[in-house]
Amino acid sequence: FAFVFKGLRKTWLLQRIKKQYKGHVVILHLSKLTKQIAIMLAKAGYKVIAIEPHADNHFIEAVEKAGVIVLLGEHGIDSHILADARLQVAATCIIAHDNDEVNMALASQVAQFKKAHVSNADSLLKILVHVQGADNVDLLKDFFDVQQEGNVYDIETFNIHQMGAAK
């Protein structure tokens, strides 16, 4: 019974996303940081979808209670789950894994997905990437400056620890 319910719930969520979600926020990986971001955005009235590859992540329940849709990437974060989250019509994608290399790889994957699924009606995708190492900020920006073709996405880096220290 649980298996059938799980399948029906996923089908219902995907239909809801398809009909109601455009200009929304997609968050990749749920961590302490992204949980807080997702809850704040949902409480402020934004439509938020979180993609989490681990079904046992203990932040899932908290964000779902706040109204965030969580999609489980059983096969990791791939083009199918990005399409399910309607990343091609999202306004913003937030990437804040604990590992800079994972964040950079995900940012590249998101940018490639957006380029492959762009149409004339699509707007610019803002990609926000949490980067802890200062060297990685320059590396990421240089890589995306070379890769950028047209106005498909805009990438920005942030470091929550530096932002907190600056206050």
Side-chain angles (χ1 to χ4, degrees), residues 67-153:
V68 174
I69 291 178
V70 177
L71 297 177
L72 296 175
E74 290 97 11
H75 305 291
I77 296 177
D78 60 17
S79 62
H80 297 292
I81 196 78
L82 295 176
D84 286 348
R86 292 187 37 93
L87 182 69
Q88 65 272 24
V89 295
T92 306
C93 181
I94 300 172
I95 304 168
H97 190 277
D98 295 334
N99 182 304
D100 281 357
E101 286 76 25
V102 170
N103 288 340
M104 291 188 290
L106 287 171
S108 177
Q109 186 178 354
V110 165
Q112 293 301 320
F113 179 88
K114 179 62 177 176
K115 283 198 289 191
H117 295 85
V118 70
S119 74
N120 292 339
D122 289 342
S123 60
L124 187 74
L125 175 65
K126 179 79 121 179
I127 304 172
L128 303 174
V129 184
H130 185 257
V131 181
Q132 296 180 40
D135 293 342
N136 290 333
V137 171
D138 294 333
L139 180 68
L140 188 69
K141 287 188 175 188
D142 289 345
F143 174 77
F144 281 97
D145 283 346
V146 170
Q147 296 294 315
Q148 177 74 331
E149 298 169 11
N151 286 332
V152 177
Y153 59 83

Side-chain angles (χ1 to χ4, degrees), residues 25-28 34 37 41 92-96 126-128 158:
V25 178
V26 176
I27 296 176
L28 304 184
T34 55
I37 292 169
L41 289 171
T92 306
C93 181
I94 300 172
I95 304 168
K126 179 79 121 179
I127 304 172
L128 303 174
F158 71 99

Side-chain angles (χ1 to χ4, degrees), residues 9 30 35 39 52 54-70 72:
R9 183 175 187 277
L30 285 173
K35 175 194 87 157
I39 291 171
E52 173 54 49
H54 305 289
D56 60 346
N57 184 309
H58 60 277
F59 297 121
I60 292 173
E61 185 178 343
V63 297
E64 284 182 330
K65 281 184 182 177
V68 174
I69 291 178
V70 177
L72 296 175

Side-chain angles (χ1 to χ4, degrees), residues 11-36:
T11 300
W12 176 78
L13 282 175
L14 293 177
Q15 284 303 311
R16 183 174 159 210
I17 292 167
K18 187 176 181 180
K19 291 180 180 177
Q20 299 176 1
Y21 280 64
K22 184 174 181 180
H24 56 288
V25 178
V26 176
I27 296 176
L28 304 184
H29 284 282
L30 285 173
S31 63
K32 185 176 179 181
L33 172 61
T34 55
K35 175 194 87 157
Q36 293 171 332

